Amino acid sequence: MGIFREDREIRASRIIKLWVAEGFIKPKRAQMLEEIAEGYLNDLVDRNLVLVGRYRYNGKIRSCRLHDLIRDLCLKVSEKGRFFYAKRALDNMSKERRFICHDFIKSEDVHEMSDALMSAQLLRSLVCRGSKLPVVFKLLRVLTMASDCSAEDIIQNLNLRCLTFQPYFRILVRLPSSISFIWNLQTLSIHARLVVAPIEIWSLSQLRHVECSRIYLPHPPPSPNDSVVMGNLQTLIKAVNLRLSEEVCKRIPNTNKLHLIYEDELEGYDDCLFDHLHNLGSLHELQSLKLVVSTFPNQSSCNADRLKCAFPVSLKKLLLAHCSLDWNDVTIIGSLPQLEALELVYSVKGQRWSPVNGEFRRLRFLSIIKCDLRCWDADSSHFPVLKKLRLEGLKHLEAIPLDIGEIPTLEMISVVRCSESAEISAMKIKEEEESLGNEGLQFQISSRKHIPKTHTAAKRDYEEHQMTSETLRRWTEAAKMVIYKTLPGSTDYLPN
């Protein structure tokens, strides 16, 4: 944990992936490595060695951080035991196993850095920004870097287990077919506009997490003898236009976190892709699903018929964006026995929602964003364990049901840019709960309208606007002069 910057909030998932990639987590029967590592993190928190930054909706640790004194101790112990080397002076690194350099490597330091890295043939972990890889590291397991290296150069490090790469000035990254040679790879994280993977990626049997800004996966070939090829895959984030066929689901049976994006402007889009979404039901380990549709025109063809019976009963978290459902279809979602978090973004049409008793028995977090909902017939029995309610952009909502405030577990109601009547009903719930002594229920209300100003305030704003306009006019004239002076053929230059 000492490799992270001072006062840096550390994502729990990030530190856990590093522990697993380094081989620090020993397997136990009937437990995934990530679950074991999560227990170790909780143990560190219980001992007050690690501080919790934020919690998830389900009470698990989202992020953590170190007290300055504990971090100093980590650095001293690491230096004494030669566990990792933080950049101070680039001397001989022939015995270093881990090298950390958070600062951007300037152009004048590149040669010095390259010479130092060439001597570091025992490196197991490398974290740096701005430098290329001068050599192939045969023992390198963890690589986190931001540079203009090509994917071909990086993939030559055949022992990689955790790869986090941010290419400079590259919108599209095409992974070479030689990625199949990194057969130990566990985590693949590339931050580019679009990552296009070769068909050989389906042969990486050790892959556990694929977390890219957007990644296109071609359809795999039939697996031989019905064997599971990617049985370790747990996380697949922002897979673009993935044809979720029976073959794909058969290859990723243990995936518990899946984020699908269907966008007609990106590679591989076909309207028939939605016909395969019913295969989601065969992913029996799936706990978190995000389904985002971005097509033109805005009318999505991802409707209830194509989503019918699509959700596995193991699902705990669901986000739907730009799907074409109506409120009666939400009953399918409400019947999921394990569902704890639901986000609906531009996904439901219709003006009335009447939940059915017995639905949403375990729902803790509910977010509804941008829909035509006008009348919401609900009471406390429909969401018995709800903790947080978020409503955003509901311009037609007449009122939030007053009985919502009677849910004993409710901790927060957030109303953002909704109708004035919805805001008033939220204030009524607030007043009623405070009169009953419920001070624990918090409210966040962000109005979509400005508060009327007094005549004096309006006059002051007008005068400030006039001053700003005059300043803008002067700057515009100055900018014109600069542009005219720097036209082709001019000997003048832009001022500093």
Side-chain angles (χ1 to χ4, degrees), residues 23 32-33 37 53 75 104 116 120 125 145 148 173 186 228 251 271 280 292 318 323 326 336 364 397 422:
M32 294 188 298
L33 295 177
L75 295 177
F104 182 82
S125 296
M145 70 182 308
D148 57 353
V173 173
Q186 297 175 354
V228 175
R251 286 174 173 262
D271 192 58
L280 283 167
V292 179
L318 175 63
C323 297
D326 59 47
L336 295 172
R364 299 182 183 183
L397 183 61

Side-chain angles (χ1 to χ4, degrees), residues 13 30 146 150 191 267 324 409 470:
S13 59
S150 67
H191 303 284
E267 191 160 342
S324 297
T409 56
E470 176 63 20

Side-chain angles (χ1 to χ4, degrees), residues 150-192:
S150 67
E152 289 82 358
D153 292 339
I154 292 176
I155 288 174
Q156 292 183 41
N157 298 275
L158 301 182
N159 200 41
L160 280 177
R161 296 188 182 183
C162 181
L163 171 59
T164 303
F165 176 49
Q166 181 176 350
Y168 290 159
F169 316 118
R170 294 193 184 182
I171 298 176
L172 176 66
V173 173
R174 290 189 179 272
L175 298 177
S177 58
S178 57
I179 194 173
S180 61
F181 297 148
I182 316 180
W183 59 275
N184 277 323
L185 190 64
Q186 297 175 354
T187 298
L188 176 64
S189 178
I190 301 179
H191 303 284

Side-chain angles (χ1 to χ4, degrees), residues 183-359:
W183 59 275
N184 277 323
L185 190 64
Q186 297 175 354
T187 298
L188 176 64
S189 178
I190 301 179
H191 303 284
R193 164 66 174 158
L194 178 63
V195 178
V196 178
I199 199 169
E200 287 79 6
I201 196 172
W202 293 102
S203 65
L204 297 177
S205 59
Q206 300 300 316
L207 203 58
R208 308 177 75 87
H209 307 281
V210 177
E211 300 178 349
C212 298
S213 298
R214 278 186 170 130
I215 183 168
Y216 172 72
L217 301 173
H219 197 264
S223 55
N225 302 322
D226 294 330
S227 60
V228 175
V229 179
M230 300 177 73
N232 290 311
L233 188 69
Q234 300 173 35
T235 306
L236 179 55
I237 300 296
K238 295 186 178 180
V240 173
N241 298 335
L242 178 65
R243 179 151 61 100
L244 204 69
S245 64
E246 292 183 8
E247 179 64 37
V248 169
C249 292
K250 186 170 61 177
R251 286 174 173 262
I252 57 172
N254 298 315
T255 301
N256 56 47
K257 188 175 183 180
L258 181 62
H259 184 175
L260 301 175
I261 298 177
Y262 292 98
E263 188 169 339
D264 55 0
E265 294 183 353
L266 295 180
E267 191 160 342
Y269 179 80
D270 188 329
D271 192 58
C272 297
L273 291 171
F274 302 121
D275 293 332
H276 298 277
L277 290 177
H278 67 275
N279 290 318
L280 283 167
S282 63
L283 299 177
H284 302 300
E285 302 297 325
L286 191 62
Q287 296 183 11
S288 177
L289 171 65
K290 291 184 180 181
L291 177 59
V292 179
V293 181
S294 179
T295 58
F296 183 84
N298 291 328
Q299 288 289 341
S300 169
S301 57
C302 182
N303 52 36
D305 291 337
R306 288 177 163 182
L307 286 174
K308 191 174 183 180
C309 300
F311 306 119
V313 295
S314 57
L315 208 58
K316 293 184 177 181
K317 183 178 180 180
L318 175 63
L319 181 147
L320 299 177
H322 298 273
C323 297
S324 297
L325 308 178
D326 59 47
W327 289 110
N328 291 330
D329 300 324
V330 179
T331 299
I332 301 174
I333 301 172
S335 62
L336 295 172
Q338 307 293 329
L339 192 65
E340 297 178 352
L342 174 62
E343 297 183 62
L344 301 172
V345 184
Y346 286 99
S347 286
V348 188
K349 299 177 180 179
Q351 298 184 352
R352 179 179 291 272
W353 183 23
S354 301
V356 179
N357 286 328
E359 298 176 351

Side-chain angles (χ1 to χ4, degrees), residues 52 67 125 220 231 256 293 342 374 414 443 463 472 481:
V52 176
H67 190 280
S125 296
N256 56 47
V293 181
L342 174 62
R374 182 180 298 274
S414 177
F443 289 80
E463 292 173 349
L472 181 61
M481 296 300 295

